[in-house]
Amino acid sequence: MKSVIKRNLTVIMSWVWLVLLGGCDSGFIETNTNPVQPTAMNPVYLFSNAQLASSFTTHTMTYEMGIVQQMMNPFAGVNAGGNVNQLNADQAQGGWNNYYNNVVKRLVDVLDKTKDVPERSNLYQMTRIWHSFAFMILSDTYGDVPYTEAGLGYLNGNYFPVYDTQESIYNSILTTLDQAVNALDASKPIETGDLFYSGDIVKWKKLGNSLLLRAAMRLSKVDPSKAEEYTAKAIAGGVMTSNDDNCFMRHSATYESPFNTFLNGSEKVNFYLGGPFVEYLKTTADPRLPVIAVKYENPSLNPGSTPEDREPSRQIGMPYGYDNLSISTAPGFPGTAGAGYKYSQADRATLVKLDAPMFFVTYAQTALLMAEAAYRGWISGDENDLYQTGIEAHFKQLEQYDSDAKVDPVKAVEYLSKATLTAGKELELINTQYWVASFLNGPEAWSNFRRSGFPMLKPNPYPGKSIKGDFIKRLVYPINESVVNRENYNAAVSRLGEDDLDSKVWWDK
Amino acid sequence: MLSRTKTNKFMKNNIPILLKIVRVSLIQLYLVCIFSTFSWAHFASGQNALNQKVSFELKNSPIAQGLNTIRKSSGVKFIYNSKVFEEGQRISIKAQNEPLGVVLERLFLPLNVSYKVEGNQIVLSKKEGPPKESFWFQDLEHLLIKPLEKRISGIIKDEDGSQLPGVNIIVKGTTVGTVSNMEGSFELNVPEQGAVLVISFVGYLTREVAVGSQSSIDIVLKADVKNLEEVVVTALGIKKDAKKVGYATANVNMEEVSTNRNVNIGNSIQGKVAGVNVSASSAGPSGTSKIRIRGQSSFKGDNSPLILVNGIPINNSSFGAKSGDSEGTTTRGGVTSDGGDGLLSLNPDDIESMTVLKGAAAAALYGFRAKDGAIVITTKSGGGSKKRGIGLEYNTNFTMDRPVDETDFQYEYGQGEGGVRPSTLAMAQSSGVWSFGERFDGQPTIQFDGVERPYQPVRGRINKFYETGYTFTNTVSINAGNEQGSIYMSLSNLDNKGISPNNRYNRKSLNLGAQYFLTKKLSTHVNANYSYENIKNPPQIAIQTLNPNAALYTWANSVEMDVLRDKRVDENGNERPTSRFTPRNNPYWSTYEHFENIIRDRIFGNFSLRYDVTDWLYVQGRIGQDYFSRDNDYNIPTGSRHLSTVLTGFNGQYYQESTRFRETNIDFLVGISKKTGILGVDVTLGGNRLDQENKNNNVLVNNFFVRDLYTVANGQIKDPQYYYGHKKVNSLYGAVELSLKDVLFINITGRNDWFSTLNPESNSYLYPSISASYVFSQSVKMPEWLNFGKIRAAYAEVGGDTDPYSNNLYYSLNANPHLGQALGSIGTSVSPNQNLRPLKVKEAEVGLELKTLGNRLNLDLAYYRKNTIDEILNVAVSNTSGYTSTKVNVGRLRNTGIEMLLTLVPVQKPNFDWEMGFNVTRNSSEVLELSGGQTQIIVGTNSDFTGRVAHEVGKPMASLLGAGYERDSQGRKLFSANGAPIYNRDLVSWGSAIPKWIGGWTNALNYKGFRLSTLIDFKFGHKLISATNYNLWRHGLHKGTLAGREGGVIGEGVTEDGAVNTTPMEASAYYGTIRNITSFVEDFVYNAGFLKLRQLSLGYKLPNKLMEKLPFQSVTFSVVSNNVLVLKKYTPNIDPEQFGQASDNLSGIESGALPLSRSIGFNLNLKF
């Protein structure tokens, strides 16, 4: 018995000893090191993810595509936006949140990890190019935005970045793109992790120059001489020359197109093609109409399980100016179908299908911008040829969505043969085609509409609009910014006038 | 040091007295060591000590010497202070093989000394009551009158039917009396007429029994639960005499809790303890029980108290809907059901005692885990049995639940929009959640299944949809014991059917408690609890998708429930369209086609060894562990309306996860207890080593190859994830208690914690406390009516827990590459901070306890002020920085409050007594500081419907935010040209979600074996935002939407130019405009206060006489009811407690939970 006690005492005392030892903190650092998450990784993984995250969210469908009258839903409330010309803070901040949280954050970290690493110089330059793309979208949408100090929360401890003026952002983008394109070097290691071109330096240079062209042309109203200067630089550097150069994100069943969950999912009976868009394609006998527009007998069912009508003459887009209660009074109201309406929808089996690609910068857009530049005399070349090249490129581009999205070649030739610029209407024709060629790229269609003033859209006559002007000119900053980053927000707003949907961004003045 | 100086000074001045006291003290070197008195040290306690036969003789011995002799022959130790005996008192007595109890009675009765058994010590105290002299006078009178006498006999038992030896029986008004023998029987000569017996025994209520003409009397004594010398279990499981405690604690009456029980034991303390705010989740019976003590101590989403079972912490993580910090996190697949919490594993039948340690001082020895107080649970280990040998107990409880329908819908207009009923199938399938149709006329009208049915109201849908639930609990337990030790084993099964269709819960548990004295000095104690829990289909709450509750409360009022059920599936096996609101799924689709399973296997317990080195020193070591595995899976059924199409195969989702949690605590304690004269010193030193590991594997798959086969293998897109968390905390702690003259007690504790989760430069934190208790009624002359008076005061600093890996930036990889390329991201939107400190709570409290009217009126008052500093806040930053927030130590908040517990025994008769308790707490909180000049942080958003929760500087915590109407300078509502109300987008604060007043009123009436008990409880002074009423409004079920159905609504107010608004707006458009802005709440903020008859039970205990003919020791049968009646509430259509979200960051946001249910049933307890 004694020995039992002795043994037990030893056990107790060893516990005491253990705990006393634990008073110091040996092994703590090891314990507090996460064994399943790394503290460093190949930066190209972040770059790829930033590329993937650049796909436009469904917010662009409620605002941007609604403003340019390509996409319409008859509901106020959650999906209110361009359809009713109202302020809807949740939708307005969608693009901001996605780009700053998922694109800028990763790209800035890639820049930080590659800037002093010579063997990753191509990744560094590619990242600068894509960073510029992201900030064009952010700035075009909101105006002055945090740029130089953005994304440095952890790296620099800067949690409240200042808002750079759009002018300075564009100046910086122009020089950055110019430098980056020139610094790309095929003799340096190739970044095959790139999801656009597998690191192809030639294609990246074309993308960089095409973006430079886009950025330069954006300034046509506010600073024509600078626009001309950089347009020339871009063309000299070499822009996209075919649809093979298109910059787009491919999607898959795993990483699906953001539009799919919306247009084939929860909102499948609620979103239709905009009336003016269908009307334009119809009246111009555009061969793209049957590829783009479909009437589903019952929109609440899936494509393939409900009859489809692609007959161009029967396509009808949802008119602007109505909501779900008044839509039945709209002229030519086609009636309801299932839980939806008998209006045309974007082809849900091709353009907005689950793995539909998302186009960011295309040959068609580039050619049309060149047409305008040529017309303006900023670059050499025949604007008419470039105009037709742009249209034809978009015909072909549709096939990149799905092989079924094929424009009838006979009708295409017929259409192109008539597509010539008429005197005095060059800018309208070019930019109206740009509008069509930018279908499903809401931010670009909207920016170019604001810059060029084309297409000639009638203001949305919805009676409950909350804007003073005819069109929404910018989106408002997130409410969070006005609370959290108040000082910098106020400075930006004071330059802007008012943080509303009517104030114009710098290049739109 | 202070105490030693005092002692020295005292010694110099009082040497003669001291010498005497020292001698006395030496006899009893073994003190009633408060720190060392563990429950299992009591096995040989109670009546056993008194029952042992002793023989000795004392002849004119001094007290000390005499008691020493008794100790030697019996093994019991005596504790007393010098005031108990007269100076120089001597005693003489002879005992020959008599029970010790009988001998002591004989010895102490004439000395006017009462005794009490505590462990294997006997505490002596001066008898209360009139001075002895008066007895002598009365006695003389009796002697003079010399009445005729008769001989009576009787037996004295306790309520359980056990005989009580050693009970005092005195003829009232005389000193004539005796003591019951081993079998509890006695014989006594009493006056022939008018004799009344006064029967008294320590720990029992004193009874008076009129003898009348009887010659044989059976007397049952009731345990005195409000005994003066109440013992409370304090931190580290240390039992203390209540009077020594300098902070507020409260014991929960376990008998009440297990008779009228809740599936989750946490809900059983609702309304019963001052300062404790319990909110039962209305998410089905297996839901979380949200317990908050003295307000919410931090801005975190979870402010639950620490739960200790037999001294070792157990995990009480909530798996509730939207638990967690950041806006109430949900599971990955977006399913928000309530999967219960840690308390759910406990079977109330196994619990011996439950003590709530309310304040920081009470829980100070738990250091970093003490910020929310603690609930200390002791499970049974057989030691409580009064009888030796084997005891068998069986308890069965069956209750049935029905939903309480609080709805008051409009039944004048049916399905439709714009004042038009559906005339086509398309319209019927589009407007299923709209009741803005035409006036009911009974005409055939098409419904979503294409069938025409009369256009008429469907009433009582709540009662039709929800089913009758039941809970059936059976527990068998065995306990046995002898001198060496004791054991308790139980087996329990609980079967529950929820009111939501197909919802089930099963809990099987096995409990073992044992204690054993290996030698006289070495004892061991083992406790183990195994439970198996299976939750099937807990309903979704608090969101839109697949939530049957939210759907039911919006469904058009002309659709029959059985049609909805029978026609939920279309020809293709998909959900039949009912509404263009696709996430508002058919409630039967949600409850029949969607499934969820949660299975938890859990074992927790501890093993300890204790060695009493000497009378005044012991050491103890202990290992405890809580381990569980939890498997959870659910589906989003193929064909659900809100899902998008797939390229091939079938849409839908399946989620599967497995969690393993393990917490190990190794601790030691050293207890020293010394008493020198009037000064007592107890020292406890200890240490603890915590190791906590959390692992979670989960996989979400989207879309399937084979229809209706919900497996990972069948999934097309698989996204597996793994979470691992590991942390350690090492602690050393100590407590010193000084007692002076047994009336003043000072307790100082300190605990130092070292955290693995913090920066090694600053990972050590000290948590001190000091508390004092002064029993003034024992040292100052008090009026006679005051039986007991004590004041107490305490101050403590405790801390909060910390999460691992929050000091570094980690990258993460997506589970699936894209186009062959790995996708990486920065794993967090919260920017890490390397210099975080754990938050700290500094709490001061004072209290007063008074007992009067013979302990029949007791008052316990407490005032506390709790400051929380260094709150770790995820402070919102500009997301242009790449992060949405960063963690910083900035916030400060304060909770202050008053708690009162009043207990009263208005009637106390032999056959009838009435006990009443009233507790009330007023808590008020104030947010003192947020980060750098911020005045508000939004912590929770009801993103599916409406309402936000924020903390605002200068206001109470949990401000409910939302938008309201735009008004002109005169306060008139503004309307736009088309007649629509104009809303103001600003989020305005509408009041706090935390009740200011909480409390309860209990009543128990005992009449012969009957016991009627009631609980009325209340909460007042808080608000809620009702998303249900918001939806009823928008969808046209709310009675308020009847205005303007024909001809349009003309809103009362003015247009922007000041003219009276005269423009009508079509009703469904008008009422729908509330959805046009973010979080409109103005019309849906309600007073959340309520007064409820919470519990009602009527029990009957078969009389002991009957027991002799039956094989039972006792039989008790009770009829019970829970959630009996709502006496007062302010919310239309819902119950103010209809809550589902577990996170404190969503307090006050009512959103699509189950209606409350009322239960009625019975409880039968059999003891063999």
Side-chain angles (χ1 to χ4, degrees), chain A residues 22 105 109 151 253 255 302 338 481, chain B residues 426 645 717 730 811 816 828 878 880:
Chain A
K105 177 183 189 177
D109 198 61
Y255 296 103
N302 296 334
E481 281 293 296
Chain B
T645 52
I717 309 161
N730 292 339
Y811 291 97
N816 295 294
T828 174
S878 170
T880 62

Side-chain angles (χ1 to χ4, degrees), chain B residues 416-678:
Chain B
E417 286 177 90
V420 180
R421 78 179 76 195
S423 52
T424 62
L425 178 60
M427 286 170 81
Q429 293 190 338
S430 173
S431 61
V433 294
W434 306 94
S435 299
F436 283 110
E438 296 166 30
R439 189 175 277 280
F440 284 119
D441 55 11
Q443 293 305 306
T445 301
I446 193 160
Q447 297 198 340
F448 74 99
D449 57 344
V451 178
E452 291 198 338
R453 295 189 183 82
Y455 198 55
Q456 62 193 21
V458 176
R459 293 169 199 272
R461 287 185 295 173
I462 303 294
N463 282 315
K464 280 177 191 156
F465 177 74
Y466 296 106
E467 300 170 349
T468 300
Y470 66 79
T471 309
F472 190 27
T473 319
N474 286 286
T475 307
V476 186
S477 66
I478 297 177
N479 73 73
N482 58 26
E483 287 81 358
Q484 292 296 122
S486 65
I487 189 164
Y488 169 87
M489 282 181 290
S490 80
L491 206 60
S492 170
N493 183 60
L494 179 153
D495 266 315
N496 169 274
K497 175 185 172 328
I499 59 169
S500 182
N502 293 321
N503 171 213
R504 296 274 193 291
Y505 172 62
N506 175 262
R507 176 177 73 205
K508 292 178 174 50
S509 69
L510 220 137
N511 189 285
L512 169 77
Q515 52 197 19
Y516 199 80
F517 269 73
L518 301 167
T519 71
K520 255 193 165 178
K521 290 183 164 183
L522 184 68
S523 61
T524 176
H525 197 97
V526 179
N527 270 99
N529 190 87
Y530 167 75
S531 60
Y532 166 86
E533 293 168 81
N534 186 351
I535 306 176
K536 272 191 175 5
N537 302 328
Q540 293 249 72
I541 52 176
I543 54 163
Q544 280 200 89
T545 322
L546 292 173
N547 178 344
N549 313 297
L552 188 67
Y553 278 82
T554 52
W555 225 265
N557 58 3
S558 45
V559 183
E560 288 284 355
M561 294 315 284
D562 43 5
V563 176
L564 266 183
R565 185 187 60 228
D566 299 341
K567 301 291 183 69
R568 65 183 183 276
V569 182
D570 72 5
E571 308 71 42
N572 301 318
N574 298 327
E575 182 184 1
R576 189 184 301 275
T578 47
S579 162
R580 66 165 194 275
F581 267 36
T582 55
R584 219 56 74 77
N585 304 81
N586 182 329
Y588 288 101
W589 178 267
S590 306
T591 47
Y592 283 73
E593 313 301 328
H594 159 71
F595 68 77
E596 179 170 9
N597 298 297
I598 301 168
I599 291 173
R600 176 159 68 180
D601 266 291
R602 182 177 194 181
I603 184 155
F604 61 80
N606 67 70
F607 163 74
S608 69
L609 267 181
R610 175 187 159 122
Y611 186 69
D612 291 300
V613 183
T614 70
D615 284 0
W616 51 271
L617 173 70
Y618 75 88
V619 289
Q620 175 192 290
R622 180 163 59 179
I623 297 182
Q625 180 168 282
D626 183 3
Y627 175 84
F628 64 80
S629 70
R630 186 178 188 275
D631 294 320
N632 181 197
D633 70 336
Y634 56 75
N635 72 339
I636 307 283
T638 297
S640 292
R641 290 256 298 141
H642 61 287
L643 294 177
S644 53
T645 52
V646 288
L647 289 177
T648 54
F650 306 90
N651 63 11
Q653 251 182 29
Y654 177 65
Y655 176 79
Q656 193 177 47
E657 76 166 15
S658 169
T659 305
R660 277 93 60 217
F661 173 88
R662 183 196 307 276
E663 178 176 317
T664 310
N665 282 284
I666 301 174
D667 70 8
F668 75 91
L669 271 185
V670 179
I672 300 159
S673 182
K674 284 273 195 185
K675 187 155 185 173
T676 315
I678 57 171

Side-chain angles (χ1 to χ4, degrees), chain A residues 1 8 15 22-23 25 32 38 45 49 75 87 96-97 105 109 151 153 159 193 250 253 255 264 302 325 338 481, chain B residues 426 518-519 522 580 621-622 644-645 717 730 754 756 763 805 811 816 818 821 824 828 831 878-882 985:
Chain A
M1 206 59 199
N8 285 325
W15 281 346
D25 42 20
N32 204 34
Y45 300 158
N49 210 2
F75 302 102
L87 181 59
W96 177 290
N97 291 341
K105 177 183 189 177
D109 198 61
Y159 295 112
R250 279 161 288 184
Y255 296 103
N264 275 317
N302 296 334
L325 296 170
E481 281 293 296
Chain B
L518 301 167
T519 71
L522 184 68
R580 66 165 194 275
R622 180 163 59 179
S644 53
T645 52
I717 309 161
N730 292 339
W754 288 265
S756 73
N763 68 357
Y805 318 136
Y811 291 97
N816 295 294
H818 185 45
Q821 175 63 22
T828 174
S831 184
S878 170
N879 67 349
T880 62
S881 70
R985 287 172 64 214

Side-chain angles (χ1 to χ4, degrees), chain A residues 280-390:
Chain A
Y280 172 79
L281 295 174
K282 215 155 101 177
T283 52
T284 54
D286 196 309
R288 285 170 288 193
L289 180 59
V291 174
I292 292 172
V294 188
K295 277 171 83 171
Y296 294 97
E297 189 164 299
N298 184 349
S300 73
L301 299 178
N302 296 334
S305 57
T306 180
E308 299 167 356
D309 182 359
R310 293 168 191 278
E311 168 52 40
S313 64
R314 284 195 293 269
Q315 300 305 318
I316 174 172
M318 188 176 265
Y320 282 77
Y322 304 92
D323 58 25
N324 62 319
L325 296 170
S326 57
I327 190 74
S328 60
T329 67
F333 177 65
T336 54
Y341 299 95
K342 289 179 179 162
Y343 285 111
S344 302
Q345 292 187 304
D347 193 324
R348 286 159 51 192
T350 57
L351 305 188
V352 295
K353 66 178 179 179
L354 185 141
D355 56 351
M358 184 87 70
F359 289 87
F360 301 116
V361 184
T362 62
Y363 175 47
Q365 291 169 329
T366 305
L368 289 166
L369 286 176
M370 285 169 73
E372 181 178 335
Y375 165 74
R376 288 176 183 270
W378 294 350
I379 59 167
S380 60
D382 180 81
E383 59 262 37
N384 218 34
D385 283 355
L386 287 163
Y387 174 64
Q388 288 185 351
T389 306

Side-chain angles (χ1 to χ4, degrees), chain B residues 893-1107:
Chain B
L893 76 97
R894 172 184 297 157
N895 277 284
T896 50
I898 295 176
E899 295 162 354
M900 185 191 82
L901 170 65
L902 190 68
T903 51
L904 182 63
V905 185
V907 181
Q908 192 174 40
K909 293 265 169 62
N911 274 329
F912 177 62
D913 66 54
W914 176 12
E915 302 153 27
M916 191 192 281
F918 182 71
N919 74 76
V920 61
T921 307
R922 186 185 194 283
N923 180 73
S924 50
S925 61
E926 188 187 349
V927 177
L928 301 175
E929 190 187 338
L930 297 171
S931 80
Q934 262 186 306
T935 55
Q936 180 193 73
I937 46 163
I938 294 176
V939 292
T941 300
N942 180 10
S943 45
D944 279 32
F945 304 113
T946 193
R948 296 184 186 202
V949 180
H951 300 309
E952 297 181 297
V953 173
K955 289 189 179 160
M957 292 178 75
S959 291
L960 294 170
L961 295 193
Y965 293 103
E966 184 80 273
R967 290 186 154 84
D968 69 2
S969 54
Q970 296 172 48
R972 295 175 298 186
K973 283 182 196 168
L974 289 177
F975 289 85
S976 63
N978 65 347
I982 299 175
Y983 297 103
N984 186 333
R985 287 172 64 214
D986 296 341
L987 298 178
V988 184
S989 173
W990 298 90
S992 168
I994 302 175
K996 278 200 188 87
W997 297 94
I998 53 172
W1001 180 32
T1002 57
N1003 274 290
L1005 293 138
N1006 294 296
Y1007 176 71
K1008 293 187 170 169
F1010 288 96
R1011 179 177 176 86
L1012 175 70
S1013 80
T1014 61
L1015 165 65
I1016 289 173
D1017 73 336
F1018 60 85
K1019 292 181 190 176
F1020 285 109
H1022 58 315
K1023 296 271 168 52
L1024 66 82
I1025 292 172
S1026 172
T1028 296
N1029 276 293
Y1030 174 88
N1031 279 328
L1032 296 175
W1033 187 264
R1034 181 188 176 203
H1035 293 285
L1037 283 171
H1038 201 287
K1039 273 195 167 161
T1041 64
L1042 283 174
R1045 288 295 180 114
E1046 277 147 62
V1049 190
I1050 303 174
E1052 204 186 311
V1054 294
T1055 56
E1056 281 178 282
D1057 50 19
V1060 172
N1061 174 47
T1062 53
T1063 315
M1065 189 179 190
E1066 192 282 315
S1068 57
Y1070 182 90
Y1071 296 113
T1073 56
I1074 56 170
R1075 197 62 176 120
N1076 290 13
I1077 54 159
T1078 306
S1079 274
F1080 173 80
V1081 302
E1082 181 168 340
D1083 291 335
F1084 311 106
V1085 179
Y1086 299 101
N1087 180 344
F1090 64 82
L1091 178 69
K1092 289 185 178 184
L1093 175 55
R1094 178 75 57 186
Q1095 293 192 329
L1096 182 65
S1097 66
L1098 178 63
Y1100 180 62
K1101 187 175 175 188
L1102 265 56
N1104 291 327
K1105 270 183 189 159
L1106 207 58
M1107 287 305 100

